[in-house]
Amino acid sequence: AGNPDQTLVNALLHYDKNLSKLPRAGLIHRLDKNTSGLLLIAREPISYHALVKMMQERDISREYETIVTGAMVSGGTIEAPIGRHPKSRTQMAVTPGGKPSITHYRIIKRFQAHTHVRVQLETGRTHQIRVHLSHINYPIVGDPVYGKQHMIKGLPLKRQALHAVKLSFTHPVTQETLSLEAPLPEDMQALIAKLSS
């Protein structure tokens, strides 16, 4: 219930009151509701503004893992504009008037009727991975919006199978190359184990 972004901002402010000096409490890389994985939060103004610029210029590499419905034959790139859905204003869609959007994907493991996929974002549109994969007829398992016609009962997952697994970027102050990773959560591991069996 409520605005998930605002709930996250409130939680960050509770954690560190100094974040109130920054827009959106320093939040740089956010996630869709019910997507797990890495967030990126700046704690100082100099870092915040530098990281926002890096995000806009596509200098932060963002990688995800997901499980989709359908056995993919190969990896590829989806280049299709994303904008507001013409009929449902709470959803996004591939639409001619949308913003340019690019998603790269490769197969990690193929199952009988599903595929474990690694995804890299070149752009960062709202719901981009979910919209793009649904657009090419490989919707994400458990996605209640873009994959609801493919929902499967009895799977050990109560959300979309999407996880922000890796963020790579240059630290705006130290200039150190950072590569941060978050292992797959238990529910996605359980789903992969079930599909493997």
Side-chain angles (χ1 to χ4, degrees), residues 33 39 145:
K33 182 180 179 184
L39 298 169
V145 178

Side-chain angles (χ1 to χ4, degrees), residues 68-76 78 105-107 110-111 113-117 133 136 138:
V68 299
T69 299
M72 286 184 168
V73 176
S74 65
I78 306 162
Y105 63 96
R106 64 180 173 82
I107 295 170
R110 193 179 304 114
F111 305 101
H114 298 85
T115 310
H116 182 187
V117 182
L133 290 173
I136 64 167
Y138 292 104

Side-chain angles (χ1 to χ4, degrees), residues 117-189:
V117 182
R118 184 86 167 213
V119 177
Q120 185 165 8
L121 288 177
E122 190 166 320
T123 55
R125 310 299 174 213
T126 301
H127 300 175
Q128 179 173 319
I129 296 171
R130 297 163 64 196
V131 170
H132 268 174
L133 290 173
S134 181
H135 177 68
I136 64 167
N137 297 314
Y138 292 104
I140 293 174
V141 170
D143 189 332
V145 178
Y146 304 103
K148 60 187 170 195
Q149 68 272 33
H150 298 279
M151 295 294 269
I152 305 160
K153 292 181 180 176
L155 288 181
L157 194 76
K158 305 297 181 199
R159 62 181 183 90
Q160 64 256 12
L162 183 60
H163 178 75
V165 73
K166 186 175 182 180
L167 292 175
S168 303
F169 57 97
T170 302
H171 191 288
V173 176
T174 67
Q175 298 302 302
E176 177 186 3
T177 299
L178 299 177
S179 186
L180 311 172
E181 296 192 44
L184 282 182
E186 288 183 6
D187 59 353
M188 283 183 65
Q189 290 183 40

Side-chain angles (χ1 to χ4, degrees), residues 17-166:
K17 297 199 181 344
N18 289 329
L19 293 175
S20 63
K21 300 172 187 169
L22 298 172
R24 293 184 357 154
L27 187 59
I28 306 290
H29 178 251
R30 59 180 280 283
L31 300 172
D32 292 348
K33 182 180 179 184
N34 293 327
T35 295
S36 58
L38 293 165
L39 298 169
L40 181 57
I41 297 126
R43 298 183 74 181
E44 300 292 335
I46 188 170
S47 296
Y48 177 83
H49 295 295
L51 288 167
V52 165
K53 185 177 180 190
M54 288 167 67
M55 187 70 84
Q56 290 168 343
E57 294 178 354
R58 305 178 187 178
D59 289 334
I60 298 177
S61 173
R62 293 159 291 162
E63 295 182 42
Y64 292 73
E65 286 189 25
T66 185
I67 293 100
V68 299
T69 299
M72 286 184 168
V73 176
S74 65
T77 295
I78 306 162
E79 193 165 352
I82 293 177
R84 287 277 166 208
H85 193 288
K87 293 180 182 172
S88 177
R89 303 304 291 168
T90 60
Q91 293 182 35
M92 307 303 284
V94 169
T95 176
K99 293 181 179 177
S101 307
I102 302 170
T103 303
H104 307 283
Y105 63 96
R106 64 180 173 82
I107 295 170
I108 295 175
K109 187 172 183 183
R110 193 179 304 114
F111 305 101
Q112 186 175 350
H114 298 85
T115 310
H116 182 187
V117 182
R118 184 86 167 213
V119 177
Q120 185 165 8
L121 288 177
E122 190 166 320
T123 55
R125 310 299 174 213
T126 301
H127 300 175
Q128 179 173 319
I129 296 171
R130 297 163 64 196
V131 170
H132 268 174
L133 290 173
S134 181
H135 177 68
I136 64 167
N137 297 314
Y138 292 104
I140 293 174
V141 170
D143 189 332
V145 178
Y146 304 103
K148 60 187 170 195
Q149 68 272 33
H150 298 279
M151 295 294 269
I152 305 160
K153 292 181 180 176
L155 288 181
L157 194 76
K158 305 297 181 199
R159 62 181 183 90
Q160 64 256 12
L162 183 60
H163 178 75
V165 73
K166 186 175 182 180

